[in-house]
Amino acid sequence: SKHGEAEKAFMEAHEIHTRIGNHVGAANALVGLGEIYRAQSKHGEAEKAFMKAHEIHTRIGDHMGAVNALNGLGGTYLAQSRNREAEKAFNDAYNILPLVGDPLTSGNTFRRLGMLHQDQCRYDEAEVSYRQALAAYDRADDAVSKSRTLSTLGRLYHAQDRYLEAEEAVAEALGIWISLGDEEGQAGAYLVLADIFKSQSKHAEGIAALIQAEATLARTSQDAVHAATLDRLGDIHAEQGMYADAEEYYRHAQAIFSSMEDAHGEAGVLLDLGVLYERQSRRSEAEECFAQARVAFAIVADEDGEAKALDGLMAVYFNQGKFGDAKVACMEACEMYAQRGQSMSKICAGVWERLQRLEEHPLGSLLAHEALRAPNVNGL
């Protein structure tokens, strides 16, 4: 994999620089290694790499290197919601900035501070930090970092329901990505715009943005994001009753996840397909999708996903008159909820109640079944 190759390269670089006594090179290699670890969610290894890099840079008086290491360390803490430690790392980096005098390094520190403040719902402080980052990136003439920050600022405005400002910020970012010919950046901006439009019930604009994102992603190597975008397009078309289009998007997404051997992604799409088929009373197909989703979620140890698949299964079983299968699915789901200390879902509770009513009136079970339907599975 690309991450594996990069990890190996940085480890070799660190070993070489250490052997020849190039402390700056060794520390920079550790920062690069930390970024690769963080991209793979290997937070413990990332933390150690950034801390060691910071120690070296500080010892030799390399202020810019120290700031970069602190920014990486703070980002690692932020990814784990260790906000207090993240804030300390970012503030330590901020305090060194006057000794650096590099606008790009300053911009990166301000942007990370903004992300921290946004995560803490300190929106005014986040906006100030993002504006400081944008100004620094302008001085550094770094269009890529500027456009990323504009998209992040757009998400900040979106979180505050400041939709017009959100649209303007992301549209500006999109314009930069287009001028750079960066299709991955363009796709990311379209996806953020789609979220903003969805919050305003601008369905046509949201679909248009997602279609633009999907078309762009199809030309890149971002298969996971491409598949997730197709899945979202399926959701929107299903909500509007455009079932044939929704099914086509879902099946395309499933095919991509399958080709990537991404069992979790494919399981999520199978769950969506099950709901779609149940809406159309295509129950044998719905049953098959929910059953496949359950197996896939179990393989990746996603108990939430497995419980949702069981909810879908029990509803479909009930609606087909397979009451014994519905009861077994209910009992399995109840056992999962109990083990996790959770109350049963609304679907599970609803199916169980209906099964109990049928058992209490066996002579009229057929008539009762005609009058009873399982709870709606649309919330899965």
Side-chain angles (χ1 to χ4, degrees):
S1 68
K2 290 182 179 179
H3 285 146
E5 293 172 7
E7 182 179 334
K8 182 179 179 181
F10 280 122
M11 290 180 73
E12 289 176 352
H14 175 254
E15 182 181 344
I16 292 170
H17 287 301
T18 300
R19 188 167 61 246
I20 65 176
N22 182 355
H23 301 302
V24 173
N28 288 338
L30 284 170
V31 170
L33 189 58
E35 296 290 356
I36 295 300
Y37 283 143
R38 188 173 60 185
Q40 299 174 85
S41 298
K42 296 180 178 179
H43 300 306
E45 292 94 326
E47 185 178 340
K48 291 177 183 177
F50 286 127
M51 290 180 72
K52 182 63 176 178
H54 176 247
E55 177 189 329
I56 296 171
H57 282 305
T58 300
R59 187 175 70 246
I60 64 177
D62 182 353
H63 303 303
M64 185 181 300
V67 170
N68 288 333
L70 285 166
N71 282 337
L73 182 61
T76 303
Y77 289 141
L78 189 59
Q80 302 171 81
S81 298
R82 293 164 62 182
N83 290 340
R84 184 173 298 178
E85 292 160 289
E87 186 164 14
K88 182 181 184 308
F90 291 142
N91 282 331
D92 286 347
Y94 176 81
N95 291 332
I96 301 173
L97 287 180
L99 302 174
V100 176
D102 176 64
L104 179 57
T105 304
S106 298
N108 292 339
T109 302
F110 288 131
R111 181 171 59 84
R112 304 258 179 141
L113 272 170
M115 292 167 63
L116 170 67
H117 293 149
Q118 183 171 348
D119 195 55
Q120 297 173 318
C121 298
R122 293 158 59 182
Y123 295 137
D124 290 344
E125 294 171 83
E127 184 175 356
V128 169
S129 293
Y130 288 143
R131 290 294 178 191
Q132 289 175 314
L134 289 170
Y137 290 138
D138 275 335
R139 293 195 303 273
D141 195 25
D142 187 335
V144 170
S145 296
K146 180 179 180 179
S147 54
R148 286 176 179 160
T149 305
L150 282 166
S151 287
T152 308
L153 180 62
R155 286 192 286 268
L156 174 70
Y157 288 143
H158 183 201
Q160 301 173 82
D161 299 334
R162 294 162 63 180
Y163 298 125
L164 180 59
E165 292 165 286
E167 287 181 31
E168 289 175 346
V170 180
E172 185 178 351
L174 177 60
I176 295 173
W177 290 124
I178 291 173
S179 70
L180 295 171
D182 188 318
E183 293 191 318
E184 291 186 5
Q186 292 172 46
Y190 281 126
L191 290 173
V192 177
L193 279 172
D195 287 336
I196 296 168
F197 290 139
K198 181 180 179 181
S199 296
Q200 301 174 81
S201 298
K202 293 183 176 180
H203 300 301
E205 293 93 330
I207 289 177
L210 282 174
I211 288 173
Q212 289 277 17
E214 190 277 324
T216 305
L217 286 164
R219 298 190 296 269
T220 72
S221 59
Q222 290 188 299
D223 290 339
V225 183
H226 184 199
T229 302
L230 288 163
D231 191 32
R232 288 176 61 182
L233 278 165
D235 291 343
I236 289 178
H237 284 83
E239 288 167 6
Q240 298 186 351
M242 302 165 69
Y243 297 140
D245 290 332
E247 182 176 2
E248 184 177 346
Y249 282 121
Y250 285 144
R251 286 301 184 186
H252 191 177
Q254 182 193 3
I256 294 175
F257 280 128
S258 178
S259 70
M260 297 169 58
E261 298 183 354
D262 184 339
H264 190 269
E266 186 174 3
V269 178
L270 285 166
L271 196 66
D272 292 334
L273 275 166
V275 172
L276 180 71
Y277 291 141
E278 170 61 18
R279 283 183 180 179
Q280 301 170 78
S281 298
R282 295 164 60 180
R283 299 212 163 98
S284 61
E285 292 164 286
E287 179 183 335
E288 182 181 1
C289 286
F290 286 134
Q292 290 176 347
R294 183 198 176 180
V295 171
F297 280 126
I299 289 172
V300 298
D302 182 342
E303 293 185 347
D304 283 331
E306 187 177 356
K308 288 180 180 179
L310 276 171
D311 282 347
L313 269 176
M314 69 182 71
V316 171
Y317 285 146
F318 186 94
N319 287 334
Q320 294 178 95
K322 298 179 177 180
F323 304 129
D325 290 333
K327 185 173 183 178
V328 170
C330 265
M331 293 177 68
E332 290 177 341
C334 285
E335 184 177 349
M336 290 184 68
Y337 291 128
Q339 288 175 348
R340 300 165 63 193
Q342 296 177 337
S343 57
M344 68 174 68
S345 69
K346 289 182 179 180
I347 292 175
C348 188
V351 170
W352 185 257
E353 178 190 355
R354 287 159 173 79
L355 287 169
Q356 294 296 106
R357 289 166 65 182
L358 287 173
E359 289 181 356
E360 290 169 4
H361 304 284
L363 294 178
S365 62
L366 181 60
L367 180 62
H369 177 239
E370 291 298 321
L372 291 172
R373 285 284 305 279
N376 198 307
V377 298
N378 289 345
L380 288 179

